[in-house]
Amino acid sequence: MERQNHVLSTIVLTVGLVFFGTGGYMYIEGWPLDDALYMTIITMATVGYGEVHQVSDTGRIFTIFLIVMGVGYFMYVVGLIVQFLVEDRIRVILGRRKLEIQIAKLKDHYIICGYGRIGRVLAAYLTERYLNVVVIENDACRQEKMDEDGVLYLIGEATDENLLIKAGIKKAKGLLTGVATAADNVFLTLIAKQLY
């Protein structure tokens, strides 16, 4: 909602500045709409193409004012873009960190490799019995589903030893694997047995 308000206010501010500048040139200099609009855009964007027509002293003062407003406006827009990027990144980092802290505290939990149809059913079955579950899923598209279901998860390949250690394989009660191929399931079982 806040993001939509920022986008809406940016659009309104853009239109307002363009109308203000265009109206100002039309009133002060008596220019036609197309010349006034063109002068407003190149002034606000500070591209420096030069004046459309000779500008009066009052027009110069208005142009200076429009340049300051245009630069301030663009700094505001750049600030918003940076804020969106940084906030999203921080939210992702903090979310991941929180999950990793929760996973590190677990003991006697179950690790489910793969959150497809079978993995999701297994996770629901175990959590209904108040057992702790950590899911390892390599498809980031399923992240939203795991968030909805409220399970702890790690994104990556289940055959990655470091990821299994991060999931707490050494403190886990069991590992359930439902990855795509039988070969991966066997390989995963061997790795888990070696680590635990």
Side-chain angles (χ1 to χ4, degrees):
M1 188 66 179
E2 185 183 340
R3 187 169 290 192
Q4 290 174 338
N5 289 340
H6 282 305
V7 170
L8 186 63
S9 65
T10 303
I11 291 168
V12 169
L13 192 58
T14 304
V15 171
L17 279 172
V18 170
F19 271 117
F20 174 75
T22 304
Y25 283 120
M26 289 174 74
Y27 177 76
I28 295 168
E29 300 296 336
W31 291 349
L33 176 66
D34 58 339
D35 287 346
L37 179 63
Y38 178 74
M39 185 66 177
T40 299
I41 299 298
I42 65 171
T43 301
M44 281 178 53
T46 65
V47 292
Y49 282 143
E51 298 164 350
V52 178
H53 302 291
Q54 190 65 31
V55 182
S56 66
D57 290 340
T58 309
R60 285 192 178 131
I61 292 169
F62 179 75
T63 302
I64 290 169
F65 182 68
L66 194 60
I67 289 170
V68 170
M69 286 178 56
V71 169
Y73 164 75
F74 282 112
M75 287 173 64
Y76 169 74
V77 170
V78 167
L80 280 180
I81 292 168
V82 169
Q83 179 185 350
F84 289 153
L85 295 174
V86 169
E87 277 181 0
D88 282 349
R89 191 70 197 132
I90 287 173
R91 199 173 291 127
V92 167
I93 290 168
L94 290 178
R96 295 294 331 137
R97 185 75 186 122
K98 185 179 174 187
L99 276 174
E100 288 172 9
I101 289 169
Q102 288 176 318
I103 291 168
K105 291 178 182 176
L106 293 179
K107 188 179 178 188
D108 295 330
H109 59 287
Y110 290 88
I111 299 172
I112 298 173
C113 300
Y115 203 70
R117 189 172 49 85
I118 301 296
R120 194 172 186 191
V121 169
L122 286 170
Y125 177 82
L126 293 171
T127 52
E128 281 171 9
R129 279 145 188 81
Y130 304 104
L131 298 169
N132 292 318
V133 170
V134 175
V135 175
I136 299 177
E137 173 58 56
N138 68 343
D139 187 356
C141 296
R142 292 188 176 143
Q143 189 170 343
E144 192 176 321
K145 220 179 258 184
M146 291 184 284
D147 284 330
E148 283 174 21
D149 295 345
V151 297
L152 299 175
Y153 62 89
L154 296 168
I155 301 293
E157 289 294 331
T159 53
D160 179 359
E161 289 184 22
N162 292 327
L163 203 58
L164 285 167
I165 291 168
K166 202 183 256 190
I169 187 76
K170 296 183 179 186
K171 299 183 289 180
K173 196 167 194 174
L175 180 128
L176 304 155
T177 177
V179 290
T181 65
D184 282 344
N185 284 318
V186 171
F187 183 61
L188 185 52
T189 306
L190 291 172
I191 290 174
K193 199 166 186 174
Q194 176 191 341
L195 290 172
Y196 183 65

